[in-house]
Amino acid sequence: MIEILESLQARIAEIKEFSYVGEDWGQLNYEEIPYPLSWPCALISITEATFEDNGKSKSMTSHHKQQGFITFDITVATLKFSSQSSNSEDVQANAWEGWNYLKKIHEKLHEWRPKSFCGSLKRSSWKSVLREDGIQELHVFYTMSISNC
């Protein structure tokens, strides 16, 4: 599983605008400022993985083949708080910044296969989390299957 996560991290890190790409271990819920990351960032986690038996194999260590289905959560976070007027050019120029990052992630990940034993990633949903701390938090979810795991 680690090799899949590392492949995802490397693929997202190709988007040069991100200052931080890594595992989501709760950095956005950190109660101390500064947050233990830099902006904008992309955080990767597995929200769910299910497995089912798919026969036996003499060549595998466990001798039981399984088919897995994994859901990844890619969180994009940008710092939106500004003391500037919402009508200023700087604020308006960056108004849709987070959504543009989701688009770039989609261009990198949708139908991409992280490893040969993986199916291609498919976007399944996205959501926005309203926060009171000036951070824009967006989540995009991708699913894929893995074989003989």
Side-chain angles (χ1 to χ4, degrees), residues 120-133:
S120 58
L121 288 161
K122 303 286 185 186
R123 182 178 57 192
S124 58
S125 64
W126 68 35
K127 71 176 182 176
S128 177
V129 176
L130 295 177
R131 298 176 60 110
E132 296 179 359
D133 56 4

Side-chain angles (χ1 to χ4, degrees), residues 11 40 48 59 69 77 129 135 137:
R11 184 81 168 181
E48 182 178 29
S59 64
F69 301 93
V129 176
I135 296 173
E137 181 179 342

Side-chain angles (χ1 to χ4, degrees), residues 10-149:
R11 184 81 168 181
I12 294 169
E14 293 174 5
I15 302 169
K16 299 300 181 199
E17 291 90 345
F18 287 123
S19 295
Y20 182 91
V21 178
E23 179 187 11
D24 185 348
W25 49 265
Q27 299 95 313
L28 295 178
N29 298 322
Y30 201 68
E31 294 184 15
E32 302 281 328
I33 294 181
Y35 291 92
L37 46 77
S38 52
W39 312 101
C41 66
L43 305 173
I44 304 163
S45 64
I46 296 174
T47 59
E48 182 178 29
T50 60
F51 299 91
E52 58 187 45
D53 287 337
N54 199 17
K56 293 186 177 190
S57 171
K58 293 182 181 184
S59 64
M60 295 177 60
T61 306
S62 71
H63 302 293
H64 291 278
K65 294 191 296 185
Q66 287 191 310
Q67 177 81 17
F69 301 93
I70 304 170
T71 301
F72 297 94
D73 177 0
I74 312 298
T75 302
V76 170
T78 60
L79 195 56
K80 300 293 276 187
F81 181 78
S82 174
S83 60
Q84 299 175 341
S85 165
S86 62
N87 293 326
S88 76
E89 288 181 27
D90 289 340
V91 172
Q92 290 300 315
N94 295 323
W96 304 107
E97 179 182 34
W99 296 101
N100 285 326
Y101 294 140
L102 286 188
K103 179 182 176 187
K104 289 179 181 193
I105 286 173
H106 184 67
E107 290 167 354
K108 287 284 185 188
L109 297 185
H110 190 69
E111 296 188 351
W112 173 70
R113 293 178 64 189
K115 294 290 176 187
S116 62
F117 58 88
C118 299
S120 58
L121 288 161
K122 303 286 185 186
R123 182 178 57 192
S124 58
S125 64
W126 68 35
K127 71 176 182 176
S128 177
V129 176
L130 295 177
R131 298 176 60 110
E132 296 179 359
D133 56 4
I135 296 173
Q136 180 183 37
E137 181 179 342
L138 304 170
H139 297 258
V140 60
F141 300 90
Y142 285 86
T143 58
M144 72 171 194
S145 63
I146 56 175
S147 299
N148 300 329
C149 51

